Amino acid sequence: MLQSPIISQARIKITLLTSIVMIAFAANSLLCREALASASIGALNFTLIRLVSGAVVLWLLVSMTQKNPHIGGDWGSAAALFGYAAGFSLAYINLSAGTGALLLFGSVQLTMICHGLWQGERLNRWQLGGALTAFSGLSWLLLPGVTAPPVSGALLMIGAGISWGIYSLRGRSTRQPTLATAGNFIRSLPFALALYLILNSWLEVISITGVAFAIASGAIASGLGYALWYSVLPALKSITSATLQLSVPIIATLGGILILGESFSLRFALASLAVLGGLLTFILSRQRS
């Protein structure tokens, strides 16, 4: 049976927009890693500018689309968002783009799986096998060795992933995700500013290039990226949206190799297969259940 041109065009549009979103999410890793590796900006300066620029863009979007805009979200979610953003930036001082993205994404998904277990969710053997495979892949990546990522950076990124997992869980029930995200970005600014002042971050090296990287990460990859994601999410099945996000670490890894000139080890490749393969098994098995 032939599909109508309107339906085909809609699917092409959704596919294109979703691809742009996944690239934007991966771009956060590439922008942050390049900014810190080039020493054009410090981690906390990057965090503060990223959150400020994201808040500005999201609030402008809300103001243009809402008749009576107000600050959504809540302080708990804002604290989780800040924990993610700060841990993300500090971790990328030592991590490659691909390794950071894999640790972040794996930690997010495992946090949400653990939350389900805490709430009494029962796993079938395929779900259990997938979760254990993903956890084993992350554990093996972190074992001591020549190609193992620095412990401090890895722990910071895992903490960022847990924070983002908590943020995602808290936001599941929101009816206006863009409004809530804008409010949470705004509410996260006092946390970022407090850490900035406590650690004397104005003494960090900063350049126009570094500021541009941070603004691009906050305004485009984060602010516009999240807004675009929430706009296409209703058109995607939950299993599709979860599966599509598996592409983010892969895109970040390829970008790190092709754009930043990062190396690629067999250990990282096998760990990636274990983590992403295990999570894919879990997602598909959950849908069948």
Side-chain angles (χ1 to χ4, degrees):
M1 183 177 179
L2 295 176
Q3 295 180 340
S4 70
I6 295 177
I7 295 177
S8 298
Q9 290 176 8
R11 289 185 175 179
I12 292 173
K13 180 180 178 181
I14 292 298
T15 301
L16 178 61
L17 292 177
T18 304
S19 300
I20 293 173
V21 171
M22 295 302 108
I23 293 172
F25 288 169
N28 271 319
S29 293
L30 299 175
L31 290 166
C32 186
R33 176 55 184 164
E34 175 60 18
L36 299 179
S38 63
S40 58
I41 193 172
L44 296 182
N45 272 301
F46 186 95
T47 301
L48 182 59
I49 295 173
R50 179 188 179 190
L51 291 175
V52 169
S53 57
V56 170
V57 167
L58 285 166
W59 182 249
L60 288 174
L61 287 173
V62 167
S63 299
M64 290 186 294
T65 57
Q66 301 282 336
K67 292 183 178 179
N68 299 304
H70 62 279
I71 297 179
D74 58 82
W75 287 103
S77 295
L81 175 62
F82 163 71
Y84 150 73
F88 181 90
S89 300
L90 291 168
Y92 267 128
I93 295 174
N94 298 316
L95 298 179
S96 66
T99 300
L102 181 65
L103 288 171
L104 176 72
F105 183 82
S107 300
V108 170
Q109 296 301 316
L110 289 175
T111 298
M112 300 181 80
I113 291 172
C114 289
H115 177 266
L117 293 174
W118 179 263
Q119 295 295 314
E121 181 179 342
R122 293 187 176 184
L123 305 183
N124 61 39
R125 61 180 180 177
W126 286 103
Q127 289 174 310
L128 181 60
L132 290 176
T133 300
F135 180 78
S136 299
L138 284 181
S139 300
W140 183 52
L141 179 65
L142 298 176
L143 288 176
V146 177
T147 57
V151 175
S152 60
L155 291 178
L156 282 167
M157 190 59 82
I158 290 172
I162 293 172
S163 296
W164 187 256
I166 294 171
Y167 181 81
S168 299
L169 289 167
R170 291 179 63 90
R172 275 180 169 178
S173 59
T174 183
R175 296 181 179 180
Q176 296 179 301
T178 302
L179 185 63
T181 304
N184 288 328
F185 262 79
I186 293 171
R187 293 175 191 271
S188 73
L189 298 182
F191 297 108
L193 183 60
L195 186 63
Y196 179 87
L197 295 175
I198 290 171
L199 298 183
N200 298 325
S201 299
W202 60 84
L203 299 177
E204 292 179 341
V205 174
I206 188 169
S207 68
I208 295 177
T209 301
V211 171
F213 280 133
I215 292 175
S217 176
I220 301 174
S222 295
L224 294 178
Y226 296 154
L228 191 57
W229 175 240
Y230 293 135
S231 71
V232 300
L233 203 54
L236 302 174
K237 295 180 180 179
S238 59
I239 184 173
T240 304
S241 64
T243 305
L244 284 170
Q245 292 177 68
L246 292 173
S247 66
V248 175
I250 298 173
I251 297 171
T253 300
L254 292 175
I257 295 171
L258 298 176
I259 300 174
L260 307 183
E262 296 178 344
S263 59
F264 185 75
S265 68
L266 178 61
R267 178 177 182 170
F268 176 74
L270 295 177
S272 298
L273 287 174
V275 173
L276 300 180
L279 292 175
L280 180 60
T281 300
F282 181 90
I283 293 168
L284 294 177
S285 180
R286 168 177 279 180
Q287 177 67 11
R288 284 196 295 267
S289 297

